[in-house]
């Protein structure tokens, strides 16, 4: 199967071969430099061509949005279309300025025609769909709490009339003891709220850390899988190499034993022959 | 004034150039020796602070490696050449970009696309304070290559670096677009935590730039995406946009302070959020452009002043 490198090499070779037939592409800086050297209707024509090219690209992107199913890609394309439209909206005053500049060879009719073209371009730019709406979507209601069922909220309001349905627990007058109790109640409630805020912040940090850890593990997973595969193959190679080494060592040792035996026998024979000759 | 290192380096270059061509005594070029000599010459030029010639030596070393089909080593040499170009005075961003692209191409030829993308990112990091335009261009290339190769899961850091570079260069619209692309990349890679942060960062960047319409449109596009729709970032974004529509500076500040997730964004976006609303832009004008006279949830234009008589 062809790899990315092979494809790139082949594509480069083909491009080099047919370079003379390719249209010459210019960078934005080169286009702007070329336009700044032109005057009058030539400058206008060059700027208009540039804007038309950008507009065509935007129209293509807007068309792609309609057929795209992936919402994240739709959001990206819409953002690019909006950027492009803002860029063209910035170019339109420059086009009008260039159209109005008096230069040799341009008549009043030419100026009027150029301004009409710019107005037409503006209409076409504004007509490109970019997903902009004039309102926010309605806020979703959060689903009911995990344990199900509604909870009744008891509101003790000190502003309501004493003895009324909203304030059934307060008497006509407050005694010193109940006032002190109320104050202590409020102070403890405030302390609890502070504590809960601290806990909430801590939980937020933990949640963020947990999310980052999950993403990091997801990133490391393919790498560890690749390491595992490579280790398995290295393991298999090592086993094969070890068994081969074992066979080789066994062979050498047995051969060596035989050689040693033969040599020792010859030595013994030689020694016994010498002794025999000496004695005899 | 050339010092000993430069003279030594010049000699090495001469000898290396000779090895690249056949001669009477040697009928074939000796690329291996040439590579070693070029590398020594580059080191010598670097020691004498002649970065331009060092870069040339590395380039020639890369060329010799390519002839031997050692694309990996060619990529390494071109990466060193890119680093040397960043040290040249005056800095030529275009040349750095070209050299970095060549290094990337060499890595791709060696079937190491991810390493190529990382080399682009390293080059961008070298330029992030001196030439933000080239740095941003390099990072855009890096994330594009990773996306084409289907390696979005490794592109996270590069996207964050790109967003930070663009914000530092005060190109808020580009930063917002980069964040939206980051969000799309996270959606492909299944990184829901980062996806939510990316989209909130985009909305904050657009609001800081005074583009309430763009921020609102971005929210409309992404508010139902899985990963963002039930997140706290969505709540924060909604509260922020509602506060902008009400043109209430205190509400905007409260929306950020009370948010449990604004401080976990990237530091540059977190700082931007704390500076909202941007005093350069008039809140009332922003709110009007956002269609603030319409009730929330209604996306059609109502006729003003209906006369039923």
């Amino acid at each position: 199967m062809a790899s990315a490198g092979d494809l790139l090499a082949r594509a480069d070779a083909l491009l080099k071969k047919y370079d003379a037939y390719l249209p010459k592409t210019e960078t934005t800086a080169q286009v702007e430099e070329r336009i700044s050297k032109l005057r009058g209707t030539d400058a206008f024509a060059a700027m208009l061509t540039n804007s038309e090219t950008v507009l065509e690209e935007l129209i293509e992107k807007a068309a792609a949005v309609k057929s795209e199913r992936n919402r994240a890609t739709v959001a990206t394309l819409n953002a690019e279309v909006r950027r492009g439209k803002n860029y063209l909206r910035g170019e339109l005053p420059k086009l009008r300025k260039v159209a109005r500049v008096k230069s040799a060879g341009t008549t009043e009719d030419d100026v009027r025609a150029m301004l009409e073209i710019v107005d037409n371009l503006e209409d076409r730019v504004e007509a490109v769909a970019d997903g902009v709406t004039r309102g926010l979507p309605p806020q979703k209601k959060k689903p009911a709490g995990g344990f199900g069922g509604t909870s009744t909220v008891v509101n003790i309001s000190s502003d309501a009339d004493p003895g009324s349905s909203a304030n059934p627990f307060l008497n006509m007058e407050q005694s010193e003891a109940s006032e002190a109790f109320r104050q202590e109640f409020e102070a403890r409630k405030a302390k609890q709220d502070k504590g809960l805020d601290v806990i909430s912040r801590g939980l937020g940090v933990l949640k963020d850390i947990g999310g980052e850890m999950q993403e990091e593990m997801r990133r490391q997973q393919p790498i560890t899988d690749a390491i595992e595969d490579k280790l398995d193959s290295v393991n298999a190679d090592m086993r094969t190499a070890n068994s081969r080494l074992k066979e080789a060592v066994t062979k050498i040792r047995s051969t060596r034993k035989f050689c040693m035996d033969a040599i020792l026998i010859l030595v013994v024979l030689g020694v016994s022959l010498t002794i025999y000759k000496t004695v005899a | 004034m050339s010092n000993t290192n430069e003279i030594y380096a010049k000699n090495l270059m001469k000898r290396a150039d000779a090895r690249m061509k056949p001669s009477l005594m040697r009928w074939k070029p000796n690329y291996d020796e040439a590579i070693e000599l070029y590398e020594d010459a580059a080191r010598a030029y670097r020691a004498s602070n002649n970065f331009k010639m060092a870069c040339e030596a590395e380039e020639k070393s890369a060329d010799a490696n390519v002839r031997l089909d050692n694309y990996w080593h060619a990529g390494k040499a071109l990466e060193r050449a890119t680093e040397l170009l960043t040290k040249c005075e005056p800095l030529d961003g275009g040349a750095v970009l070209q050299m970095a692209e060549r290094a990337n191409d060499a890595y791709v030829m060696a079937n190491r696309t991810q390493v190529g993308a990382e080399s682009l990112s390293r080059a961008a990091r070298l330029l992030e304070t001196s030439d933000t335009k080239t740095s941003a261009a390099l990072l855009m290339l890096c994330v594009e290559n990773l996306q084409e190769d289907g390696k979005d899961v490794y592109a996270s850091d590069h996207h964050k670096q790109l967003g930070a570079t663009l914000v530092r260069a005060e190109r808020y619209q580009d930063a917002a677009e980069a964040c939206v692309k980051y969000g799309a990349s996270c959606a492909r890679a299944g990184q829901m935590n980062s996806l939510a942060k990316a989209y909130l960062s985009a909305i904050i960047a657009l609001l800081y730039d005074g583009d309430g319409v763009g921020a609102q449109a971005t929210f409309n596009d992404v508010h139902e995406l899985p990963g963002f729709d039930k997140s706290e970032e969505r709540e924060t974004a909604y509260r922020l946009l509602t506060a902008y529509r009400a043109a209430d500076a205190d509400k905007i500040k409260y929306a950020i302070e009370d948010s449990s997730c604004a401080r976990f964004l990237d530091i540059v976006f977190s700082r931007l959020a704390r500076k909202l609303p941007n005093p350069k832009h008039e809140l009332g004008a922003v709110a009007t452009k956002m269609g603030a006279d319409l009730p929330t949830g209604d996306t059609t234009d109502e006729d003003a002043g209906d006369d039923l008589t």
Side-chain angles (χ1 to χ4, degrees):
Chain A
M1 199 166 104
S3 63
D6 291 337
L7 285 167
L8 202 68
R10 274 188 247 164
D12 278 339
L14 280 168
L15 281 168
K16 238 187 221 170
K17 199 172 164 189
Y18 298 107
D19 192 40
Y21 301 101
L22 289 169
K24 298 286 170 234
T25 48
E26 293 173 301
T27 59
T28 334
Q30 283 171 327
V31 166
E32 279 171 10
E33 207 191 307
R34 187 170 51 87
I35 288 169
S36 63
K37 289 182 187 155
L38 298 170
R39 291 278 172 270
T41 47
D42 293 335
F44 180 82
M47 280 179 77
L48 186 69
T49 318
N50 189 30
S51 303
E52 293 269 354
T53 320
V54 174
L55 180 61
E56 274 167 25
E57 277 171 29
L58 289 183
I59 292 171
E60 268 179 38
K61 278 184 190 158
V65 164
K66 288 190 190 133
S67 56
E68 186 60 59
R69 285 194 176 268
N70 186 337
R71 276 191 237 176
T73 321
V74 163
T76 320
L77 287 169
N78 273 336
E80 285 173 15
V81 167
R82 283 192 289 272
R83 282 278 291 121
K85 276 177 82 164
N86 282 334
Y87 166 76
L88 285 173
R89 280 182 194 129
E91 288 291 296
L92 291 169
K94 289 183 202 168
L95 273 168
R96 289 199 173 100
K97 194 177 165 190
V98 167
R100 287 195 188 104
V101 161
K102 287 198 178 115
S103 64
T106 28
T107 61
E108 281 294 321
D109 288 336
D110 287 339
V111 172
R112 223 175 296 130
M114 284 195 278
L115 288 172
E116 259 185 54
I117 291 171
V118 174
D119 290 335
N120 186 23
L121 184 69
E122 189 176 6
D123 293 335
R124 283 163 61 200
V125 165
E126 295 302 332
V128 177
D130 57 4
V132 166
T133 53
R134 296 202 60 192
L136 279 174
Q139 180 70 316
K140 283 185 205 170
K141 278 203 185 131
K142 281 193 178 143
F147 299 111
T150 52
S151 53
T152 50
V153 177
V154 175
N155 267 325
I156 300 173
S157 164
S158 56
D159 297 331
D161 290 330
S164 70
S165 58
N167 192 0
F169 302 111
L170 282 182
N171 257 326
M172 298 295 176
E173 286 174 11
Q174 293 194 35
S175 65
E176 272 183 34
S178 68
E179 186 63 41
F181 176 77
R182 163 157 290 284
Q183 277 179 2
E184 201 187 327
F185 167 76
E186 294 291 339
R188 287 202 183 186
K189 201 169 113 178
K191 203 174 170 188
Q192 260 187 14
D193 285 343
K194 248 189 193 171
L196 284 170
D197 279 339
V198 170
I199 291 171
S200 157
R201 285 186 109 94
L203 281 173
V205 170
L206 283 172
K207 184 190 166 217
D208 185 58
I209 291 171
E212 293 290 323
M213 277 171 66
Q214 187 198 27
E215 284 179 8
E216 192 57 40
M217 298 242 238
R218 208 188 270 265
R219 222 172 284 151
Q220 301 294 340
Q221 193 191 349
I223 301 171
T224 40
D225 287 345
I227 291 173
E228 208 181 320
D229 292 337
K230 283 186 182 159
L231 276 174
D232 285 339
S233 76
V234 162
N235 223 6
D237 288 341
M238 285 286 280
R239 279 207 199 103
T240 327
N242 273 346
S243 63
R244 279 199 198 145
L245 196 65
K246 201 176 168 188
E247 276 174 42
V249 165
T250 323
K251 238 195 227 171
I252 289 167
R253 240 178 46 197
S254 50
T255 326
R256 199 167 45 120
K257 251 189 182 165
F258 176 77
C259 282
M260 281 293 282
D261 289 343
I263 289 165
L264 282 168
I265 287 170
L266 283 169
V267 162
V268 162
L269 276 172
V271 163
S272 52
L273 208 64
T274 323
I275 292 169
Y276 181 76
K277 272 191 180 163
T278 322
V279 164
Chain B
M1 193 175 76
S2 24
N3 51 24
T4 17
N5 271 327
E6 273 209 45
I7 298 166
Y8 175 55
K10 241 187 210 170
N11 283 334
L12 287 169
M13 286 283 277
K14 239 195 216 169
R15 284 166 58 194
D17 287 338
R19 300 268 186 301
M20 291 287 282
K21 289 178 282 210
S23 66
L24 274 172
M25 309 303 288
R26 189 181 40 248
W27 290 7
K28 270 190 203 174
N30 190 344
Y31 294 123
D32 291 303
E33 273 188 35
I35 289 166
E36 274 180 40
L37 288 166
Y38 278 132
E39 283 177 5
D40 289 339
R43 271 193 288 272
Y45 273 126
R46 197 197 279 250
S48 68
N49 288 334
N50 188 346
F51 299 117
K52 198 158 175 277
M53 288 308 297
C55 173
E56 212 181 290
E58 293 284 9
E59 247 185 292
K60 289 187 176 175
S61 159
D63 187 34
N65 272 306
V66 164
R67 289 184 201 217
L68 287 174
D69 288 342
N70 286 338
Y71 293 109
W72 168 260
H73 290 104
K76 281 257 164 214
L78 287 167
E79 211 186 321
R80 284 193 296 268
T82 317
E83 193 201 337
L84 287 161
L85 274 177
T86 61
K87 292 183 183 166
C88 284
E89 299 280 342
L91 178 63
D92 183 356
V96 173
L97 182 64
Q98 242 182 3
M99 191 64 75
E101 280 176 5
R102 281 176 65 187
N104 177 49
D105 288 342
Y107 282 123
V108 168
M109 297 285 271
N111 282 324
R112 306 291 294 270
T113 333
Q114 193 184 336
V115 177
E118 277 169 21
S119 76
L120 289 168
S121 168
R122 280 190 290 267
R125 205 173 278 276
L126 290 170
L127 289 174
E128 63 185 1
T129 42
S130 46
D131 187 352
T132 50
K133 201 173 163 193
T134 313
S135 179
L138 284 165
L139 285 164
M140 282 183 206
L141 203 58
C142 164
V143 300
E144 262 173 42
N145 286 352
L146 284 170
Q147 183 188 335
E148 278 170 14
D149 206 40
K151 295 204 165 108
D152 285 299
V153 82
Y154 302 115
S156 198
D157 289 336
H158 308 301
H159 277 287
K160 283 187 200 168
Q161 199 186 335
L162 175 59
T165 307
L166 289 168
V167 166
R168 267 189 232 111
E170 295 182 2
R171 289 162 59 180
Y172 301 111
Q173 292 282 340
D174 290 335
E177 200 185 319
C179 285
V180 171
K181 284 191 179 150
Y182 180 23
S185 164
C186 289
R188 284 190 292 270
Q191 295 168 331
M192 296 306 159
N193 204 30
S194 299
L195 178 147
K197 286 185 190 171
Y199 286 134
L200 179 60
S201 305
I203 289 170
I204 286 172
L206 286 167
L207 287 173
Y208 192 81
D209 198 37
D211 184 6
V213 173
Q216 193 163 265
T218 309
F219 182 82
N220 281 324
D221 285 336
V222 305
H223 76 283
E224 280 180 339
L225 280 174
F228 191 67
D229 59 346
K230 292 188 179 101
S231 63
E232 285 171 19
E233 282 83 359
R234 186 196 184 277
E235 296 299 317
T236 307
Y238 188 84
R239 266 188 263 144
L240 205 49
L241 287 166
T242 319
Y244 259 89
R245 285 172 69 90
D248 189 339
D250 292 328
K251 243 184 170 178
I252 293 167
K253 286 200 175 81
Y254 181 71
I256 294 295
E257 273 167 24
D258 195 48
S259 160
S260 53
C261 48
R263 63 179 180 280
F264 298 127
L265 299 174
D266 267 359
I267 189 74
V268 282
F269 290 103
S270 183
R271 273 195 208 130
L272 272 189
R274 268 180 263 141
K275 286 189 210 167
L276 288 175
N278 191 347
K280 280 189 201 164
H281 305 289
E282 214 261 286
L283 272 179
V286 172
T288 317
K289 277 194 198 161
M290 283 165 83
D293 43 352
L294 294 172
T296 310
D298 184 0
T299 56
T300 56
D301 276 331
E302 283 175 340
D303 287 332
D306 261 339
D307 195 355
L308 297 173
T309 56

